[in-house]
């Protein structure tokens, strides 16, 4: 599957999934957890069976990770590309069969409702962890600041940009150890809103550009969260796609200036931008193509 059929769930979708699960799991206990894709389970101690019978305390988000806390244990999920959560009012009686279909794991609750964690496509990158502390998940312990946290100020962003040096600003935004929760889609959206070239070296942003980037990060994410709030998991992908202004919209008109949205392709993904809004009207070199032409 391509990156445009939803792509990797990013901060707004993961927040909405966590909120949706929090409401559904509130007051319930975990009856059992079934794992069909054994490669997705990254931990063995404590075993998944340690969750059986535990009362769910809450569901939260760390970057792009979902954290189901149950009586001191944490079931942590990183959905990756093609990964999703599918709620079921009534779990089928037959247990999950290993190795078949997109279902990687299933959480069954004490009222026989529950959810499947699924992964479409052939790239198996879904990751599930059972830990006593979410910081035991390497991807969580490495996370940079959450861009919606109160202490993520424009000064904090300025420090991040100067530390990132010549790294292109697109890469800086996507680096989970620098800023948590922004991926390929929302970095395109943020840069478009901030009118910045994705290739601009991070440390060269002026004070005004840093402020514009900061405002765009907060506005784009807050707007996406507002649109996702209250939606069920099944409705979120369509909502995400509707809300995107340039990402996944190659060849369409920029909603700000009317120019044609262009893309740069990489082996496994592509990014989109508006030349008029972001690069002084000049198309960016497609690095994959230019490398082939040398
Ligand atoms: Zn434009």
């Amino acid at each position: 599957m391509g990156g445009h059929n939803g792509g990797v769930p990013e901060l707004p979708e993961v927040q909405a999934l966590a909120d949706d699960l929090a409401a559904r799991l509130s007051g319930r206990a975990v009856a059992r957890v079934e794992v069909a894709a054994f490669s997705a389970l990254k931990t063995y101690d404590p075993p998944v069976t340690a969750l059986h019978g535990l009362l769910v305390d809450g569901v939260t988000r760390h970057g792009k990770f979902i954290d189901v806390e149950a009586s001191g244990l944490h079931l942590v999920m990183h959905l990756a590309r093609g990964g999703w959560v599918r709620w079921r009012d009534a779990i089928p009686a037959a247990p999950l069969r290993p190795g078949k279909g997109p279902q990687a794991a299933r959480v069954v609750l004490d009222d026989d409702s529950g959810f499947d964690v699924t992964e479409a496509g052939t790239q198996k990158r879904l990751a599930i962890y059972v830990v006593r502390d979410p910081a035991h998940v390497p991807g969580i312990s490495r996370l940079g600041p959450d861009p919606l946290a109160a202490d993520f100020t424009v000064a904090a962003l300025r420090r991040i940009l100067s530390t990132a040096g010549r790294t292109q600003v697109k890469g800086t935004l996507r680096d989970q150890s620098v800023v948590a929760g922004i991926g390929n889609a929302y970095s395109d959206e943020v840069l478009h809103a901030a009118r910045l070239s994705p290739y601009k070296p991070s440390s060269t942003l002026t004070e005004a550009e840093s402020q514009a980037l900061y405002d765009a990060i907060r506005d784009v994410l807050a707007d996406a969260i507002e649109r996702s709030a209250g939606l069920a998991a099944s409705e979120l992908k369509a909502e995400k796609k509707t809300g995107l202004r340039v990402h996944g919209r190659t060849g369409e008109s920029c909603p700000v200036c009317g120019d044609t949205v262009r893309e740069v392709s990489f082996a496994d993904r592509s990014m989109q931008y508006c030349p008029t809004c972001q690069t002084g009207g000049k198309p960016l070199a497609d690095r994959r193509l230019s490398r082939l032409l040398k």
Side-chain angles (χ1 to χ4, degrees), residues 23-207:
R24 295 176 190 274
L25 271 57
S26 167
R28 300 253 68 93
V30 176
R32 63 181 188 279
V33 178
E34 300 172 7
V35 177
F38 296 112
S39 62
L41 183 63
K42 305 301 180 191
T43 53
Y44 58 90
D45 179 29
V48 287
T49 51
L51 290 161
H52 297 181
L54 299 187
L55 196 66
V56 176
D57 298 314
V59 185
T60 52
R61 175 186 65 79
H62 313 277
K64 295 188 257 187
F65 292 81
I66 296 174
D67 176 0
V68 178
E69 183 176 6
S71 308
L73 287 185
H74 298 258
L75 173 68
V76 174
M77 299 169 282
H78 188 254
L79 298 175
R81 179 179 292 185
W84 205 245
V85 170
R86 183 180 169 199
W87 179 257
R88 288 172 171 274
D89 288 326
I91 289 288
L96 220 48
R97 288 225 310 270
K100 292 278 176 228
Q103 281 100 345
R106 170 173 287 168
V107 175
V108 184
L109 302 173
D110 55 352
D111 65 350
D112 288 325
S113 69
F115 60 92
D116 288 344
V117 187
T118 63
E119 183 173 29
T122 50
Q123 285 183 319
K124 296 304 179 191
R125 289 188 188 165
L126 177 81
I128 298 171
Y129 310 80
V130 181
V131 288
R132 294 181 182 87
D133 180 341
H136 295 164
V137 175
I140 291 181
S141 64
R142 278 198 304 267
L143 283 177
D146 194 282
L148 297 179
D151 59 357
F152 187 80
T153 59
V154 68
L157 179 62
R158 290 281 285 168
R159 281 194 296 276
I160 285 169
L161 292 168
S162 84
T163 307
R166 302 294 299 173
T167 305
Q168 293 163 350
V169 63
K170 165 93 176 168
T172 299
L173 289 177
R174 287 185 68 229
D175 185 341
Q176 299 305 296
S177 66
V178 174
V179 184
I182 299 175
N184 196 33
Y186 285 103
S187 56
D188 279 357
E189 295 299 300
V190 163
L191 290 167
H192 177 254
R195 306 180 71 87
L196 286 170
S197 166
Y199 287 176
K200 196 168 174 59
S202 300
S203 60
T204 67
L205 265 67
T206 65
E207 209 169 319

Side-chain angles (χ1 to χ4, degrees), residues 192 254-259 274-277:
H192 177 254
C254 168
V256 173
C257 73
D259 193 3
C274 169
T276 295
C277 289

